[in-house]
Amino acid sequence: MQFKISALLWFLAITSLFCSAIDAQTLPYKDKNLPIEKRVDDLLSRMTLDEKIAQIRHIHSWNIFNGQELDETKLSALAGDISWGFVEGFPLTGENCAKNMYPIQKYMVEKTRLGIPIFTVAESLHGVVHDGTTIYPQNIALGSTFNPQLAREKARMIADDLHSLGFRQVLAPCIDVVRELRWGRVEESYGEDPYLCGLFGIEEVSGYLESGISPMLKHYGPHGNPLSGLNLASVECGLRDLHEIYLKPFEMVVKNTGILAVMSTYNSWNHVPNSASHYLLTEVLRDQWGFKGYVYSDWGAIEMLKTMHFTARNSSEAAIQAISAGLDAEASSNCYPFLKTLIEKGQFDEEILNTAVRRVLFAKFAMGLFEDPYGEQYKGRKRHSPESIKLSKKIADESTVLLKNENRLLPLDTKRIRSIAVIGPNADQVQFGDYSWSRNNKDGITPLQGIKERAGKKVAIHYAKGCSLTSLDTSGIDEAVEAARKSDVAIIFGGSASAALARDYKSSTCGEGFDLNDLNLTGAQSQLIREVYQTGTPVILVLVTGKPFAIEWEKNNLAAILVQWYAGEQAGYSIADILFGNVVPSGRLTFSFPRSTGHLPVYYNYLPSDRGFYRNPGSYEAPGRDYVFAPPTALYSFGYGLSYTSFVYRNLTTDKDKYSLTDTIHATVEVKNIGEYTGKEVVQLYVRDKASTYVTPVKQLRDFKKIELAPGESRTVQLHVPIAELYLVDEANHRFVEPGEFVIEAGQSADNIILSKTIVAGEPSTIGDDEIVAPKIKKSSRQMQVRGEVRDIQATLVPGMQIIEKSTGKTIAVTDTQGRYNVTTGNHEYLIFKKSGYRAVEVEVNNMDIINITVNYGEN
């Protein structure tokens, strides 16, 4: 009997193996040697309508988990023998992710009819959003390093955490260009410049892909300039801004990487919801850029077509609008199940559904899920490794921006300072930023902790919170003032606080859904700063924040200011090392700071008309125009940041003076460290089109390099700009490079250009070059009285205009408060009318005793 049973088992085993072999041979989609497109077509041909719809849908944690425990009965009831497209476990602990993602995948592969693997999905904006993983600095900090290679290194490290938890698809990176600083999601962006956002996106995506993780670009569509700064609000812009600002980073990443997933946005553009825009999701993304992957809805975005945008009457219409536009996968809403009935009734074309399913399957094949659904090749990856902690600290070190350092107060010398007051709502509180798994001090290093450890036992630390971020309560300020009075220096840590995704949203002033109507420091922070300042103790302000604030008073009065964007779990050590000189600050602003909320927008790449016409900014002491009581400029501009050392720039050169339209400009600039510290400098290259058919920005970042120099060391930095990138866009979104002159500018920030050079691209037109034949100057035969008035082109009288006699170079008069003048000069003399902010005008007297002048704004 035993022999018969053993023989039977042996027979069944052999039969099973034989059948499996036959099955593999007869099912082309399981043949890894076939092209992906053929495997997709074969698999799609075998799928039922229910199986197709499941592939473009999401299993959410609430569907199959009871708290932290997977309920396999719920999973079986939900899925049956049908594999789904995606599954997440956002509320789960890290250990429960590692425990449960495998059995979910095992169910899909081994218990469904076709065995299609599922995309296990996680968030990792700046680290995986599950406890026990490394918390990195937020994107706004990463961008401020001006070191894109760090984005690739970060993605590689995050991939280790993701694999250890069983995830293969990540909802990152966020590459939105943000122009509205009141918006809570500023912190998720690398910056206000599309080129910079695109470069960081390319590096981060590449880091994930080469580590076996499928990244997802978000949020596709114009997103970063919501009306009034309110989350989900519409973005209104023209076609040029759409493509050259908001979509530019997405285009760069799609064309330069193998990205397979893109997330659509909630909001609308020009009255069309982005998640139902055929133009954005199909005509641009697929037809123009050649994207082959799938588009995934931001959570609930399809449902919002009927509940927020009201372009759909019901779920069926919402489903039709989204999937027809090119939105393939639905997350956190339930509109796509209605496609089955619509197709069965002949009200919807199944081929549109097939296209969406085909894209999801293509991504699964391309990421190797069919060959390695359980990630066996990534087993043993360490979570929260020492290497990842070191990288988090490095990004923090390179991202902090020194905004002011009067009389070289920083770095602090622990041999000379006996006591430090550490003050403020963010002094003894970690601030990791939104999309973190914790807000608890036990999971990171606070500034107070870092300062205590780095300062040593010989320096007394006096701590006082002073106030909160969300209350006007000032009862704690007296304690902070007393701490400052008995200290050699006071360090105030203010700024903002963001939520922890799906965990803790209390007392948030920043992050998704936490928008501000005013960019002044929240709560009683301003009063705290001013009262501490009144003690006479030198004050260092450290903004720990996810967005810029309006800090003009602080700039004008405090000794030193730093901005430490949410800097991850090592933030406290990082800021302490910077304060005490163990690390030289090298971060640069990727967002311009406004002088006030009313100054918005303040991004650097504005159009020539957009920072005032009159060039006569005023104040309460001397009211003017553009604005009456303030200049229209940014408080701190894009690219700005100080160091503990100093750099000089010399010899900007280009390989040619004249280029063809297919050439690349190769520029070099010499940089020397003339200070006492080894430091890192960000060499920035901007380009300005001198004259063009369409209005172009005053300058645009086209390349940058971050270099490290020892004291006295020099280096020649090489920078490159393809002429093809200097294109214009016409009304039909056609791109063309217009021949002409371009100014190449090298500097330390957008408003601190040190060197410039003009080059020529193509063959510029010579029509109408305004050549004026200079008249023969007649010698004056007599002196005469000349009077008149000076007005601008809007007929406004201009006081303070110099009248210069050309032959002598002397100023012979200045217009009075009514714009009038009266001079004695030669009857054939030339008079030059000149004033800062106006274009000079030259006119011959020619025996005229009344000469009225009209001047234009600008400089010659």
Side-chain angles (χ1 to χ4, degrees):
M1 177 64 73
Q2 182 65 38
F3 172 77
K4 291 183 178 180
I5 293 175
S6 298
L8 178 60
L9 292 174
W10 179 84
F11 175 78
L12 291 173
I14 293 297
T15 302
S16 176
L17 289 172
F18 178 76
C19 291
S20 297
I22 294 296
D23 185 51
Q25 291 174 2
T26 57
L27 300 180
Y29 78 88
K30 293 186 176 183
D31 184 354
K32 66 180 181 180
N33 296 313
L34 287 178
I36 291 177
E37 289 80 3
K38 288 187 177 297
R39 298 177 74 183
V40 169
D41 288 343
D42 177 70
L43 178 54
L44 187 64
S45 71
R46 301 174 187 278
M47 297 173 72
T48 66
L49 194 53
D50 287 324
E51 287 170 328
K52 291 176 183 178
I53 292 173
Q55 273 304 302
I56 58 172
R57 296 191 63 209
H58 217 299
I59 297 175
H60 292 289
S61 50
W62 57 81
N63 300 134
I64 58 174
F65 282 88
N66 298 321
Q68 293 289 317
E69 295 299 320
L70 176 64
D71 188 329
E72 296 200 21
T73 302
K74 286 185 176 180
L75 175 60
S76 179
L78 177 71
D81 69 344
I82 295 175
S83 180
W84 283 53
F86 309 86
V87 64
E88 54 82 16
F90 289 171
L92 302 182
T93 65
E95 287 303 317
N96 280 322
C97 289
K99 173 184 174 182
N100 291 310
M101 289 302 119
Y102 176 83
I104 294 172
Q105 186 69 277
K106 186 177 178 66
Y107 183 96
M108 297 298 163
V109 173
E110 300 181 16
K111 294 187 179 181
T112 62
R113 188 176 75 90
L114 295 172
I116 303 172
I118 194 168
F119 264 132
T120 48
V121 176
E123 290 275 11
S124 69
L125 182 60
H126 55 110
V128 185
V129 189
H130 295 285
D131 61 298
T133 60
T134 308
I135 302 172
Y136 294 88
Q138 181 62 287
N139 266 8
I140 191 172
L142 181 60
S144 294
T145 68
F146 272 78
N147 188 350
Q149 180 62 31
L150 291 176
R152 184 183 290 245
E153 294 176 21
K154 183 197 77 166
R156 288 171 176 167
M157 285 292 181
I158 291 176
D160 286 348
D161 283 351
L162 288 165
H163 284 304
S164 76
L165 299 174
F167 293 112
R168 299 293 291 276
Q169 174 70 65
V170 66
L171 308 185
C174 177
I175 62 171
D176 293 320
V177 176
V178 175
R179 290 188 149 194
E180 171 54 83
L181 299 180
R182 292 173 294 177
W183 191 36
R185 305 191 77 167
V186 171
E187 64 183 82
E188 298 179 37
S189 171
Y190 301 123
E192 69 186 39
D193 180 77
Y195 175 73
L196 179 136
C197 288
L199 285 185
F200 273 87
I202 288 170
E203 293 297 323
E204 189 159 341
V205 164
S206 298
Y208 278 126
L209 287 173
E210 63 196 20
S211 303
I213 296 294
S214 175
M216 180 180 292
L217 296 183
K218 64 182 190 182
H219 309 85
Y220 177 68
H223 192 227
N225 195 10
L227 190 67
S228 302
L230 290 170
N231 196 34
L232 279 67
S234 62
V235 172
E236 301 298 314
C237 70
L239 195 68
R240 292 188 181 91
D241 277 356
L242 172 71
H243 285 276
E244 298 313 297
I245 303 297
Y246 304 109
L247 298 188
K248 184 65 176 179
F250 292 89
E251 179 183 3
M252 290 172 66
V253 176
V254 168
K255 288 185 174 180
N256 289 281
T257 72
I259 188 75
L260 294 165
V262 168
M263 180 187 289
S264 69
T265 71
Y266 291 120
N267 65 311
S268 65
W269 168 64
N270 289 4
H271 300 249
V272 178
N274 292 336
S275 291
S277 172
H278 189 271
Y279 177 74
L280 290 173
L281 302 181
T282 297
E283 295 173 44
V284 174
L285 183 62
R286 270 81 180 227
D287 298 345
Q288 293 182 20
W289 300 348
F291 176 64
K292 290 186 177 181
Y294 66 90
V295 177
Y296 173 104
S297 76
D298 206 338
W299 281 31
I302 298 175
E303 186 84 10
M304 290 178 185
L305 297 177
K306 71 172 185 176
T307 61
M308 183 175 75
H309 297 295
F310 303 107
T311 59
R313 293 181 303 109
N314 51 45
S315 296
S316 294
E317 285 191 359
I320 291 172
Q321 289 179 15
I323 197 169
S324 298
L327 202 166
D328 305 302
E330 179 176 31
S332 195
S333 58
N334 294 293
C335 298
Y336 279 6
F338 290 93
L339 292 172
K340 180 181 180 181
T341 301
L342 292 169
I343 291 170
E344 289 174 341
K345 289 182 176 180
Q347 296 175 330
F348 186 70
D349 186 356
E350 186 175 354
E351 191 51 41
I352 296 175
L353 170 63
N354 290 343
T355 298
V357 177
R358 184 177 283 108
R359 291 164 177 162
V360 172
L361 293 176
F362 180 90
K364 289 183 175 183
F365 279 114
M367 288 306 302
L369 262 62
F370 281 82
E371 281 64 59
D372 186 15
Y374 306 119
E376 294 294 338
Q377 62 182 307
Y378 305 106
K379 293 293 185 184
R381 296 295 177 99
K382 292 182 179 179
R383 195 180 318 156
H384 200 209
S385 66
E387 293 80 9
S388 70
I389 298 169
K390 183 179 180 180
L391 179 61
S392 181
K393 170 69 161 53
K394 181 179 181 180
I395 296 172
D397 289 347
E398 289 203 31
S399 63
T400 295
V401 185
L402 178 61
L403 296 178
K404 184 179 180 183
N405 191 18
E406 190 173 79
N407 298 322
R408 301 180 70 177
L409 174 61
L410 293 172
L412 301 175
D413 187 348
T414 55
K415 295 179 180 178
R416 300 174 60 184
I417 289 179
R418 294 167 298 175
S419 57
I420 301 173
V422 180
I423 297 168
N426 280 339
D428 192 28
Q429 177 59 53
V430 296
Q431 295 296 353
F432 297 137
D434 204 354
Y435 286 80
S436 298
W437 55 266
S438 172
R439 298 177 72 181
N440 195 312
N441 283 358
K442 70 180 179 62
D443 297 312
I445 307 299
T446 70
L448 178 61
Q449 182 182 348
I451 289 171
K452 283 182 175 179
E453 292 194 28
R454 296 299 197 254
K457 296 181 179 180
K458 293 184 179 180
V459 179
I461 305 297
H462 303 130
Y463 166 70
K465 182 177 180 179
C467 69
S468 78
L469 298 171
T470 56
S471 168
L472 297 176
D473 180 11
T474 60
S475 60
I477 292 180
D478 287 346
E479 181 186 5
V481 168
E482 180 58 29
R485 282 201 179 105
K486 61 184 181 183
S487 301
D488 295 331
V489 66
I491 309 173
I492 302 176
F493 289 87
S496 61
S498 293
L501 180 74
R503 288 162 175 80
D504 180 1
Y505 292 88
K506 65 179 181 296
S507 302
S508 296
T509 60
C510 196
E512 185 174 2
F514 295 94
D515 313 308
L516 293 175
N517 68 304
D518 188 337
L519 289 179
N520 289 310
L521 291 169
T522 61
Q525 291 184 81
S526 293
Q527 184 174 341
L528 170 68
I529 293 167
R530 295 182 189 217
E531 292 197 25
V532 170
Y533 167 77
Q534 290 297 325
T535 66
T537 300
V539 176
I540 301 165
L541 173 63
V542 181
L543 290 179
V544 180
T545 177
K547 65 166 59 185
F549 282 95
I551 53 168
E552 186 163 28
W553 185 91
E554 289 77 5
K555 177 184 179 181
N556 292 336
N557 292 279
L558 302 186
I561 304 174
L562 300 106
V563 56
Q564 185 187 43
W565 310 114
Y566 297 142
E569 62 182 60
Q570 297 293 302
Y573 288 145
S574 179
I575 194 63
D577 281 338
I578 289 171
L579 290 168
F580 296 127
N582 302 322
V583 170
V584 175
S586 64
R588 300 293 183 264
L589 295 181
T590 59
F591 286 100
S592 302
F593 271 58
R595 296 177 183 274
S596 72
T597 308
H599 279 77
L600 296 178
V602 290
Y603 47 81
Y604 85 93
N605 47 350
Y606 56 88
L607 300 184
S609 59
D610 294 354
R611 285 294 180 271
F613 177 69
Y614 302 100
R615 292 172 173 80
N616 182 30
S619 65
Y620 275 98
E621 292 72 29
R625 306 171 82 171
D626 298 332
Y627 296 105
V628 175
F629 300 119
T633 54
L635 184 66
Y636 293 108
S637 190
F638 176 89
Y640 178 82
L642 303 176
S643 174
Y644 293 156
T645 191
S646 300
F647 302 90
V648 294
Y649 287 50
R650 299 190 184 98
N651 301 327
L652 172 63
T653 65
T654 55
D655 56 327
K656 301 178 186 178
D657 292 326
K658 186 173 182 179
Y659 294 85
S660 75
L661 299 184
T662 59
D663 281 343
T664 292
I665 302 168
H666 299 279
T668 61
V669 60
E670 295 177 18
V671 182
K672 182 176 182 179
N673 182 347
I674 60 170
E676 301 173 358
Y677 292 84
T678 295
K680 295 177 180 178
E681 174 71 338
V682 178
V683 184
Q684 301 162 45
L685 190 73
Y686 298 87
V687 177
R688 174 168 58 89
D689 197 336
K690 289 190 73 172
S692 52
T693 300
Y694 302 110
V695 182
T696 57
V698 293
K699 58 174 64 72
Q700 297 182 81
L701 183 71
R702 293 299 186 183
D703 200 6
F704 58 87
K705 290 289 187 301
K706 191 169 193 176
I707 59 171
E708 184 174 55
L709 297 175
E713 183 182 1
S714 297
R715 185 177 305 174
T716 298
V717 179
Q718 297 183 344
L719 301 153
H720 311 283
V721 184
I723 296 291
E725 285 300 309
L726 306 181
Y727 61 80
L728 301 176
V729 179
D730 67 16
E731 290 84 351
N733 192 30
H734 295 142
R735 300 175 178 182
F736 62 98
V737 178
E738 189 171 64
E741 293 182 306
F742 295 87
V743 181
I744 310 299
E745 302 178 328
Q748 295 179 302
S749 66
D751 65 350
N752 183 19
I753 300 301
I754 300 171
L755 302 169
S756 65
K757 180 180 180 180
T758 299
I759 62 97
V760 175
E763 297 292 337
S765 170
T766 58
I767 297 174
D769 277 347
D770 295 344
E771 291 187 31
I772 298 175
V773 179
K776 293 181 180 180
I777 300 176
K778 300 176 183 178
K779 187 175 180 180
S780 294
S781 59
R782 61 186 175 85
Q783 295 285 295
M784 62 178 291
Q785 291 293 117
V786 178
R787 61 187 174 87
E789 62 184 23
V790 180
R791 294 177 180 268
D792 68 15
I793 61 172
Q794 293 181 330
T796 304
L797 293 165
V798 181
M801 179 74 68
Q802 296 180 75
I803 295 92
I804 301 170
E805 203 170 49
K806 187 174 183 179
S807 64
T808 65
K810 294 180 179 179
T811 299
I812 56 176
V814 176
T815 56
D816 62 18
T817 57
Q818 298 300 309
R820 298 168 183 160
Y821 71 93
N822 194 323
V823 298
T824 300
T825 190
N827 66 325
H828 286 295
E829 180 64 69
Y830 276 80
L831 300 179
I832 300 171
F833 294 78
K834 187 175 183 181
K835 182 181 180 180
S836 178
Y838 296 85
R839 294 187 178 276
V841 173
E842 183 177 314
V843 64
E844 183 187 4
V845 174
N846 196 24
N847 292 306
M848 295 183 291
D849 57 358
I850 298 177
I851 301 177
N852 295 322
I853 297 296
T854 300
V855 292
N856 204 344
Y857 294 93
E859 302 287 351
N860 286 339

XYZ file of all heavy atoms in Angstrom, residues 63 161 363 412 502 548 590 602 627 666 716 771 799 850:
108
model
N -9.787 47.725 2.534
C -10.525 46.625 1.915
C -10.180 45.273 2.508
O -11.030 44.369 2.566
C -10.253 46.563 0.412
C -10.659 47.813 -0.334
O -9.898 48.318 -1.147
N -11.857 48.314 -0.089
N 15.023 50.234 1.530
C 13.916 50.195 2.492
C 12.652 49.628 1.848
O 11.932 48.820 2.449
C 13.635 51.593 3.038
C 14.648 52.035 4.087
O 15.463 51.195 4.515
O 14.627 53.217 4.475
N 3.955 47.927 -17.968
C 4.816 48.355 -16.863
C 5.196 47.176 -15.974
O 6.338 47.076 -15.507
C 4.114 49.433 -16.049
N 29.958 79.850 15.349
C 30.177 80.104 16.764
C 31.427 79.365 17.245
O 31.660 78.221 16.869
C 28.960 79.653 17.569
C 27.625 80.323 17.220
C 26.502 79.672 18.015
C 27.673 81.827 17.469
N -1.443 60.130 6.940
C -2.354 59.099 7.452
C -2.141 58.820 8.938
O -2.592 57.792 9.442
C -2.212 57.803 6.646
N 9.125 79.360 2.110
C 9.635 80.676 2.488
C 8.591 81.476 3.264
O 7.381 81.281 3.096
C 9.911 81.353 1.141
C 9.993 80.248 0.153
C 9.034 79.209 0.647
N 16.109 77.615 -3.779
C 15.415 77.256 -5.021
C 14.034 77.909 -5.066
O 13.309 77.734 -6.036
C 15.272 75.735 -5.163
O 14.537 75.221 -4.057
C 16.630 75.076 -5.230
N 7.044 86.031 -6.701
C 8.387 86.598 -6.675
C 9.413 85.697 -7.363
O 10.607 85.860 -7.172
C 8.850 86.882 -5.224
C 8.070 88.026 -4.624
C 8.756 85.628 -4.362
N 6.504 99.653 -5.845
C 5.266 100.081 -5.229
C 5.456 101.443 -4.548
O 6.579 101.926 -4.439
C 4.852 99.058 -4.170
C 4.526 97.689 -4.719
C 5.409 96.617 -4.566
C 3.328 97.452 -5.410
C 5.103 95.354 -5.057
C 3.020 96.189 -5.901
C 3.908 95.153 -5.727
O 3.613 93.905 -6.222
N 29.627 75.971 -25.108
C 30.519 75.460 -24.069
C 31.158 76.671 -23.399
O 32.003 77.351 -23.996
C 31.577 74.541 -24.666
C 31.004 73.330 -25.336
N 30.598 72.208 -24.652
C 30.748 73.080 -26.647
C 30.127 71.317 -25.496
N 30.196 71.810 -26.716
N 38.588 75.888 -13.030
C 37.835 76.317 -14.206
C 36.616 75.413 -14.343
O 36.741 74.200 -14.496
C 38.699 76.232 -15.477
O 39.813 77.127 -15.334
C 37.895 76.644 -16.700
N 20.089 102.407 -37.697
C 21.317 103.157 -37.941
C 20.981 104.626 -38.140
O 20.131 104.991 -38.957
C 22.040 102.617 -39.173
C 22.623 101.230 -38.976
C 23.476 100.807 -40.159
O 24.086 101.713 -40.785
O 23.513 99.612 -40.449
N 10.879 114.963 -11.764
C 11.831 115.812 -11.058
C 13.190 115.137 -10.953
O 13.331 113.932 -11.168
C 11.195 115.945 -9.671
C 10.455 114.656 -9.480
C 9.955 114.279 -10.862
N 12.678 126.756 -26.088
C 11.825 125.878 -25.292
C 11.991 124.447 -25.822
O 11.713 124.178 -26.986
C 10.349 126.287 -25.358
C 10.151 127.692 -24.773
C 9.477 125.268 -24.603
C 8.721 128.191 -24.867
